[in-house]
Amino acid sequence: MEQVTLSEVQSAIEIELAQFLERQSQYLTSIAPELSSVAQSLSAFLLDGGKRLRPLFAYSGFIGAGGKTSSEVIRAMASLELLQACALIHDDLMDGSDTRRGKPSIHRHFESLHKSAQMQGFASRYGQAAAVLLGDLALVWSDQMLNSSGLSSDELLSVLPVHDEMRVELMAGQFLDVHEQTQKSTSVRRSLNIARFKSGKYTIQRPLHIGSAIAITDKKLRTHIDELYSNYGLPLGEAFQLRDDILGTFGNSQLTGKPTEDDLREGKHTVLIATTFERATQIELGELDRYFGKIDLNSDGIEKLQTIITATGARAYVEDLIEKLTSNALKALKDDEIADNGASLLKELAQLVTRRSK
Amino acid sequence: MEQVTLSEVQSAIEIELAQFLERQSQYLTSIAPELSSVAQSLSAFLLDGGKRLRPLFAYSGFIGAGGKTSSEVIRAMASLELLQACALIHDDLMDGSDTRRGKPSIHRHFESLHKSAQMQGFASRYGQAAAVLLGDLALVWSDQMLNSSGLSSDELLSVLPVHDEMRVELMAGQFLDVHEQTQKSTSVRRSLNIARFKSGKYTIQRPLHIGSAIAITDKKLRTHIDELYSNYGLPLGEAFQLRDDILGTFGNSQLTGKPTEDDLREGKHTVLIATTFERATQIELGELDRYFGKIDLNSDGIEKLQTIITATGARAYVEDLIEKLTSNALKALKDDEIADNGASLLKELAQLVTRRSK
């Protein structure tokens, strides 16, 4: 089973997730029937798409470090999707986003449930509370799925510290991102640091380290491969985030499942925007001031902003940066320490995360 | 060190928490100086009081199951305070509570930071996002503190499933509580079930099971003591919650650190209130309808509600129920399986949680 493709791994991840969610949903509704809405919404959220990037990176890191596929390992990797669900549910709540993958976000969904059942109190407050708790539950479930995956004691004890570190970095990155949006001026340096934590570390480097920690439980023996994974993961993660920024401004909302204008209306300090501000003329700065981050931004304003971002050369600069970061990342894969089948999965993933349109 | 008192354990817990927070705060600020507000607020929140009930129950459960004190064990138990911090921070956010232990709640604190630093955007949104993320971080830290406590592999692997189950039950209980407040009618049965999950299981039964799982790593060998702990923990946890309900309605806000009227203004469906509704006369129902759960409730209304709750006999009924549940709980301690020094700590704790005034 060593020559598996990414899509085969993806299917295996889906199956493990579905089984875990089925079992947990049954358990929840056995506590109280009122919990069926929680079980149903979380299952629908988890099983309705998603690229499964973090499990795929963890799996590829595992194979690259000489690991042999097993359903226990797939289960352990799949748990990262539950952590990601927590991040997304809480993110949508914090951003006040109405949709996720073209469907209502969790807080909006529970707001609707409140309204349609004509419950007591404020629908928006119920939606908010549900999103807080469903995110928390997803985080706890991710731990439970990892801990009960069937990894051997050595494997589990080896992976826990990496897993904990990754989650602290995730929350730190999330806070820095929230905090950045409260700053009066943009900064390419600060935005790149956030991209490093939110994506470089959380999405790619740490999942790879999780993979190597399961394949090689003696920490000293994986020092070199972990370094290679950092050299690959950090630049690629930044490239991934930069692609996200471009999709958040120029993407097709039909494909991304998110309104294109969200980043512009929110006034999100992405690297793309920080670069635009750095390069804008006085006249362009005036236009940016007029449209960027304005709640009532309309399609006219969006088009004006898109034109400026392109005209300053910021878009081309970011595209170029994506290319450079990706090519740097790929260099790390040339080292013999990474098993061939792992390296080829990682090459494929690098294309996938930097050339995507959703 | 076997004859330690509860207050000695409490001091040891404080020391472990302070050390962990000191180390983690340094790490956070090394990532980015912007994270110092996160580190400071979480440390202040954690180290500013709190009864440390869950660690104390876990410790007593450990001693009762024949465990020998060590700083590793204290550290593992202390991690439960970080989980509780997550629950409280998210709870205050969901309830929109302004204060916690007489100080601003986390979302209010970050709202103030936003205002005083004249940051961009909405202060309330920044406060909300910070509370979501600080709660998440506290949850992740609790895991990290447990995993890195220095417990032996066997002890850690034994405790993880119990710990995971406890956290799922906590989130389930929290959701049921939120959901209950959206119901048009009150129900003593439903409110008791919520008390069972939020307090019976999360605050007492599971911490005791965490203690026994560390002391006796072979699951079969702790079946009997775990049963005894359930027989003690579930009724006592309900009694604990009922005491909370009474303090939330009749308590001295100087001692509780929370405005007395919060439960009444929110219209919280506690067992006390559900009992009041069951026993109220038509005239009293009219008064309840007029004052209970009203945002503009003033001191006059509070007094009227307190009078009704007492007049219906609901308060005396709940006090009586607390007595009965506590005496049931104490019966379980008579079994020889529980080590004497553990049983005496558990007796003391039973008094502490049911007779407290804060």
Side-chain angles (χ1 to χ4, degrees), chain A residues 224-236:
Chain A
H224 183 54
I225 201 163
D226 276 354
E227 249 180 61
L228 295 172
Y229 282 168
S230 298
N231 295 341
Y232 163 88
L234 293 175
L236 188 65

Side-chain angles (χ1 to χ4, degrees), chain A residues 24 27-28 31-32 34-35 37-38 83 86 90 93-97 110 114 117-122 125-126 128-130 132-137 139-141 143-145 147-148 153-154 156-157 160-161 163-165 167-169 171-176 178-185 189-190 193 197 201 206 266 269 295, chain B residues 24 27-28 31-32 34-35 37-38 83 86 90 93-97 110 114 117-122 125-126 128-130 132-137 139-141 143-145 147-148 153-154 156-157 160-161 163-165 167-169 171-176 178-185 189-190 193 197 201 206 266 269 295:
Chain A
Q24 296 310 314
Y27 173 73
L28 273 192
I31 293 177
E34 291 88 344
L35 290 169
S37 63
V38 174
L83 173 61
C86 164
H90 282 176
L93 173 65
M94 294 186 295
D95 291 348
S97 303
F110 276 84
H114 189 286
Q118 297 186 295
M119 298 181 193
Q120 291 275 94
F122 297 107
R125 173 165 276 192
Y126 182 66
Q128 174 185 316
V132 168
L133 292 174
L134 266 70
D136 289 352
L137 181 60
L139 182 53
V140 170
W141 271 357
D143 240 6
Q144 193 175 35
M145 189 173 187
N147 292 338
S148 66
S153 305
D154 281 352
L156 184 60
L157 294 170
L160 287 179
H163 186 241
D164 287 337
E165 195 165 356
R167 296 184 299 167
V168 172
E169 287 167 351
M171 299 315 166
Q174 294 281 76
F175 183 85
L176 287 177
V178 164
H179 187 77
E180 177 60 32
Q181 312 318 319
T182 66
Q183 300 305 296
K184 291 198 176 63
S185 64
R189 184 191 54 77
R190 285 199 313 263
N193 193 38
F197 273 89
K201 284 174 168 285
R206 294 307 179 193
E266 271 176 39
H269 292 191
I295 285 181
Chain B
Q24 296 310 314
Y27 173 73
L28 273 192
I31 293 178
E34 292 88 345
L35 291 170
S37 63
V38 174
L83 173 62
C86 163
H90 282 176
L93 173 65
M94 295 186 295
D95 290 350
S97 303
F110 277 84
H114 189 286
Q118 297 187 296
M119 298 181 192
Q120 291 274 96
F122 297 108
R125 174 166 277 191
Y126 182 66
Q128 175 184 315
V132 168
L133 292 174
L134 266 70
D136 289 351
L137 181 59
L139 182 53
V140 169
W141 272 356
D143 239 7
Q144 194 174 35
M145 190 174 188
N147 293 337
S148 66
S153 305
D154 280 353
L156 183 60
L157 293 170
L160 288 178
H163 185 241
D164 286 337
E165 195 165 357
R167 296 185 299 168
V168 172
E169 288 167 351
M171 299 313 166
Q174 294 281 77
F175 183 85
L176 287 177
V178 164
H179 187 78
E180 176 61 31
Q181 313 317 320
T182 67
Q183 300 304 296
K184 292 199 175 62
S185 63
R189 185 191 54 76
R190 285 198 314 263
N193 192 39
F197 274 89
K201 284 174 168 286
R206 295 306 179 194
E266 272 176 39
H269 291 192
I295 286 182

Side-chain angles (χ1 to χ4, degrees), chain A residues 315-328:
Chain A
R315 184 179 182 176
Y317 168 78
V318 169
E319 284 288 359
D320 191 50
L321 196 52
I322 292 175
E323 277 304 312
K324 279 185 190 141
L325 289 165
T326 309
S327 121
N328 270 342

Side-chain angles (χ1 to χ4, degrees), chain A residues 10-25:
Chain A
Q10 235 165 357
S11 311
I13 292 165
E14 299 301 324
I15 292 169
E16 292 299 340
L17 272 177
Q19 282 179 353
F20 180 84
L21 288 164
E22 171 70 24
R23 206 165 47 243
Q24 296 310 314
S25 297

Side-chain angles (χ1 to χ4, degrees), chain A residues 129-290:
Chain A
V132 168
L133 292 174
L134 266 70
D136 289 352
L137 181 60
L139 182 53
V140 170
W141 271 357
S142 78
D143 240 6
Q144 193 175 35
M145 189 173 187
L146 174 63
N147 292 338
S148 66
S149 59
L151 288 183
S152 74
S153 305
D154 281 352
E155 289 165 347
L156 184 60
L157 294 170
S158 165
V159 85
L160 287 179
V162 189
H163 186 241
D164 287 337
E165 195 165 356
M166 175 182 76
R167 296 184 299 167
V168 172
E169 287 167 351
L170 165 63
M171 299 315 166
Q174 294 281 76
F175 183 85
L176 287 177
D177 198 14
V178 164
H179 187 77
E180 177 60 32
Q181 312 318 319
T182 66
Q183 300 305 296
K184 291 198 176 63
S185 64
T186 57
S187 150
V188 174
R189 184 191 54 77
R190 285 199 313 263
S191 292
L192 274 172
N193 193 38
I194 294 166
R196 187 182 179 88
F197 273 89
K198 280 192 65 171
S199 304
K201 284 174 168 285
Y202 164 61
T203 305
I204 311 192
Q205 182 202 31
R206 294 307 179 193
L208 292 170
H209 287 171
I210 282 178
S212 61
I214 298 176
I216 307 169
T217 58
D218 184 337
K219 200 177 171 181
K220 281 181 212 131
L221 297 180
R222 60 176 197 267
T223 315
H224 183 54
I225 201 163
D226 276 354
E227 249 180 61
L228 295 172
Y229 282 168
S230 298
N231 295 341
Y232 163 88
L234 293 175
L236 188 65
E238 288 178 36
F240 169 80
Q241 183 61 50
L242 295 177
R243 174 60 62 215
D244 230 38
D245 294 351
I246 287 190
L247 290 173
T249 302
F250 295 101
N252 178 341
S253 63
Q254 297 288 88
L255 293 172
T256 60
K258 281 253 174 198
T260 302
E261 66 275 19
D262 264 12
D263 275 8
L264 297 173
R265 184 173 291 144
E266 271 176 39
K268 209 158 163 67
H269 292 191
T270 62
V271 175
L272 181 67
I273 289 298
T275 309
T276 303
F277 271 92
E278 264 189 16
R279 295 167 167 235
T281 62
Q282 279 306 321
I283 293 171
E284 286 167 338
L285 282 175
E287 293 280 279
L288 285 170
D289 199 46
R290 193 169 152 197

